[in-house]
Coordinates of all heavy atoms in Angstrom, one line a residue:
N16 N -54.3 -37.2 -57.6 CA -53.0 -36.6 -57.6 C -52.2 -37.2 -58.7 O -51.9 -38.4 -58.7 CB -52.3 -36.9 -56.3 CG -50.9 -36.3 -56.2 OD1 -50.5 -35.6 -57.1 ND2 -50.2 -36.4 -55.1
P17 N -51.8 -36.4 -59.8 CA -51.1 -37.0 -60.9 C -49.6 -37.2 -60.6 O -48.9 -37.7 -61.5 CB -51.2 -35.9 -62.0 CG -51.3 -34.6 -61.2 CD -52.1 -35.0 -59.9
Q18 N -49.1 -36.8 -59.4 CA -47.7 -37.0 -59.1 C -47.4 -38.2 -58.3 O -46.3 -38.3 -57.6 CB -47.3 -35.7 -58.3 CG -47.5 -34.4 -59.0 CD -46.7 -34.3 -60.4 OE1 -47.1 -33.5 -61.2 NE2 -45.7 -35.1 -60.6
T19 N -48.2 -39.2 -58.4 CA -48.0 -40.5 -57.7 C -48.2 -41.7 -58.6 O -48.4 -42.8 -58.1 CB -48.9 -40.6 -56.4 OG1 -50.3 -40.6 -56.9 CG2 -48.7 -39.4 -55.5
L20 N -48.0 -41.6 -59.9 CA -48.4 -42.6 -60.8 C -47.2 -43.5 -61.2 O -46.2 -42.9 -61.8 CB -49.1 -42.0 -62.0 CG -50.3 -41.1 -61.7 CD1 -50.9 -40.6 -63.0 CD2 -51.4 -41.9 -61.0
D21 N -47.3 -44.8 -61.1 CA -46.2 -45.7 -61.6 C -46.3 -45.8 -63.1 O -47.4 -45.8 -63.7 CB -46.4 -47.1 -61.0 CG -46.0 -47.1 -59.5 OD1 -45.1 -46.4 -59.1 OD2 -46.6 -47.9 -58.8
M22 N -45.2 -46.0 -63.7 CA -45.2 -46.1 -65.2 C -44.1 -47.1 -65.6 O -43.1 -47.3 -64.9 CB -44.9 -44.7 -65.8 CG -43.7 -44.0 -65.3 SD -43.8 -42.1 -65.4 CE -44.2 -41.8 -67.1
F23 N -44.3 -47.7 -66.8 CA -43.3 -48.7 -67.3 C -43.3 -48.7 -68.8 O -44.3 -48.3 -69.4 CB -43.6 -50.1 -66.7 CG -44.8 -50.7 -67.4 CD1 -44.6 -51.5 -68.5 CD2 -46.1 -50.5 -67.0 CE1 -45.7 -52.1 -69.2 CE2 -47.2 -51.0 -67.6 CZ -47.0 -51.9 -68.7
L24 N -42.3 -49.3 -69.3 CA -42.2 -49.6 -70.8 C -41.3 -50.8 -71.0 O -40.2 -50.8 -70.5 CB -41.7 -48.4 -71.6 CG -41.7 -48.5 -73.1 CD1 -42.1 -47.2 -73.8 CD2 -40.4 -49.0 -73.6
D25 N -41.8 -51.7 -71.8 CA -41.1 -52.9 -72.2 C -40.8 -52.9 -73.7 O -41.7 -52.4 -74.5 CB -41.9 -54.2 -71.9 CG -42.2 -54.4 -70.4 OD1 -41.5 -53.8 -69.6 OD2 -43.1 -55.2 -70.1
V26 N -39.7 -53.3 -74.1 CA -39.4 -53.5 -75.5 C -39.1 -55.0 -75.7 O -38.2 -55.6 -75.1 CB -38.2 -52.7 -76.0 CG1 -37.8 -52.9 -77.4 CG2 -38.4 -51.2 -75.8
N27 N -39.8 -55.6 -76.6 CA -39.7 -57.1 -76.9 C -39.8 -57.9 -75.6 O -39.0 -58.9 -75.5 CB -38.4 -57.3 -77.7 CG -38.3 -56.6 -79.0 OD1 -39.3 -56.5 -79.7 ND2 -37.1 -56.2 -79.4
G28 N -40.6 -57.5 -74.7 CA -40.8 -58.2 -73.5 C -39.8 -57.9 -72.4 O -40.0 -58.5 -71.3
K29 N -38.9 -57.1 -72.6 CA -37.8 -56.8 -71.6 C -38.1 -55.4 -71.0 O -38.3 -54.4 -71.7 CB -36.5 -56.8 -72.3 CG -35.3 -56.4 -71.3 CD -34.0 -56.3 -72.0 CE -32.9 -55.9 -71.1 NZ -31.6 -55.8 -71.7
R30 N -38.2 -55.3 -69.7 CA -38.4 -54.1 -69.0 C -37.3 -53.1 -69.2 O -36.1 -53.4 -68.9 CB -38.7 -54.3 -67.5 CG -39.0 -53.1 -66.7 CD -40.3 -52.4 -67.1 NE -41.4 -53.3 -67.4 CZ -42.4 -53.7 -66.5 NH1 -42.3 -53.2 -65.2 NH2 -43.4 -54.5 -66.9
C31 N -37.6 -51.9 -69.8 CA -36.6 -50.9 -70.1 C -36.8 -49.7 -69.2 O -35.8 -49.1 -68.7 CB -36.6 -50.5 -71.5 SG -36.1 -51.8 -72.7
Q32 N -38.0 -49.3 -69.0 CA -38.3 -48.1 -68.2 C -39.2 -48.5 -67.0 O -40.2 -49.1 -67.2 CB -39.0 -47.0 -69.0 CG -38.1 -46.4 -70.1 CD -38.8 -45.2 -70.7 OE1 -39.5 -45.4 -71.7 NE2 -38.5 -44.0 -70.2
T33 N -38.9 -48.0 -65.9 CA -39.7 -48.1 -64.7 C -39.6 -46.7 -64.0 O -38.5 -46.2 -63.7 CB -39.2 -49.2 -63.7 OG1 -39.2 -50.4 -64.4 CG2 -40.1 -49.3 -62.5
G34 N -40.7 -46.1 -63.6 CA -40.6 -44.8 -63.0 C -41.9 -44.5 -62.3 O -42.9 -45.2 -62.2
N35 N -41.9 -43.3 -61.7 CA -43.1 -42.8 -61.0 C -43.1 -41.3 -61.2 O -42.0 -40.6 -61.1 CB -43.1 -43.1 -59.5 CG -44.4 -42.8 -58.8 OD1 -44.6 -41.6 -58.6 ND2 -45.2 -43.8 -58.5
T36 N -44.2 -40.7 -61.4 CA -44.3 -39.3 -61.7 C -43.9 -38.4 -60.5 O -43.7 -37.2 -60.6 CB -45.8 -38.9 -62.1 OG1 -46.7 -39.3 -61.1 CG2 -46.1 -39.5 -63.4
T37 N -43.7 -39.0 -59.3 CA -43.3 -38.3 -58.2 C -41.9 -37.7 -58.3 O -41.5 -36.8 -57.7 CB -43.4 -39.1 -56.9 OG1 -43.2 -38.3 -55.7 CG2 -42.3 -40.2 -56.9
T38 N -41.1 -38.3 -59.3 CA -39.7 -37.9 -59.5 C -39.5 -36.9 -60.6 O -38.4 -36.6 -61.0 CB -38.8 -39.1 -59.8 OG1 -39.2 -39.7 -61.0 CG2 -38.9 -40.1 -58.6
M39 N -40.6 -36.3 -61.1 CA -40.5 -35.2 -62.0 C -39.8 -34.1 -61.4 O -39.9 -33.7 -60.2 CB -41.9 -34.7 -62.4 CG -42.7 -35.6 -63.4 SD -44.2 -34.8 -63.9 CE -44.9 -36.0 -65.0
I40 N -39.0 -33.4 -62.2 CA -38.3 -32.1 -61.8 C -39.3 -31.0 -61.7 O -39.4 -30.3 -60.7 CB -37.2 -31.8 -62.8 CG1 -36.2 -32.9 -62.9 CG2 -36.6 -30.4 -62.4 CD1 -35.2 -32.7 -64.0
F41 N -40.2 -30.9 -62.7 CA -41.2 -29.9 -62.7 C -42.6 -30.6 -62.7 O -42.9 -31.4 -63.6 CB -41.1 -29.0 -63.9 CG -39.8 -28.3 -64.1 CD1 -38.9 -28.8 -65.0 CD2 -39.4 -27.3 -63.3 CE1 -37.6 -28.2 -65.1 CE2 -38.2 -26.7 -63.4 CZ -37.3 -27.1 -64.3
A42 N -43.4 -30.4 -61.6 CA -44.7 -31.0 -61.5 C -45.7 -30.5 -62.5 O -45.5 -29.4 -63.1 CB -45.2 -30.8 -60.1
I43 N -46.8 -31.2 -62.6 CA -47.8 -30.8 -63.6 C -48.3 -29.3 -63.4 O -48.4 -28.6 -64.4 CB -49.0 -31.7 -63.6 CG1 -48.6 -33.2 -63.8 CG2 -50.1 -31.3 -64.6 CD1 -47.9 -33.5 -65.1
D44 N -48.6 -29.0 -62.2 CA -49.1 -27.6 -61.9 C -48.1 -26.6 -62.3 O -48.4 -25.5 -62.9 CB -49.6 -27.5 -60.5 CG -48.5 -27.8 -59.4 OD1 -47.4 -28.2 -59.8 OD2 -48.8 -27.6 -58.2
E45 N -46.8 -26.8 -62.0 CA -45.8 -25.9 -62.4 C -45.6 -25.8 -63.9 O -45.4 -24.7 -64.4 CB -44.4 -26.3 -61.7 CG -43.3 -25.3 -61.9 CD -42.1 -25.6 -61.2 OE1 -42.0 -26.7 -60.5 OE2 -41.1 -24.8 -61.2

């Protein structure tokens, strides 16, 4: 299921983005 994946991004070691694909407005199939 691609709609349950945790994701993150750090810049210079500082966490900037934290999310999960479950919160997409439009899911992959749509």
Side-chain angles (χ1 to χ4, degrees):
N16 183 359
Q18 302 300 158
T19 61
L20 305 178
D21 289 329
M22 54 208 306
F23 76 91
L24 184 145
D25 299 341
V26 178
N27 298 327
K29 178 183 177 181
R30 183 60 45 91
C31 293
Q32 290 186 275
T33 302
N35 187 287
T36 56
T37 191
T38 63
M39 283 183 180
I40 299 169
F41 305 103
I43 303 299
D44 57 358
E45 186 174 4

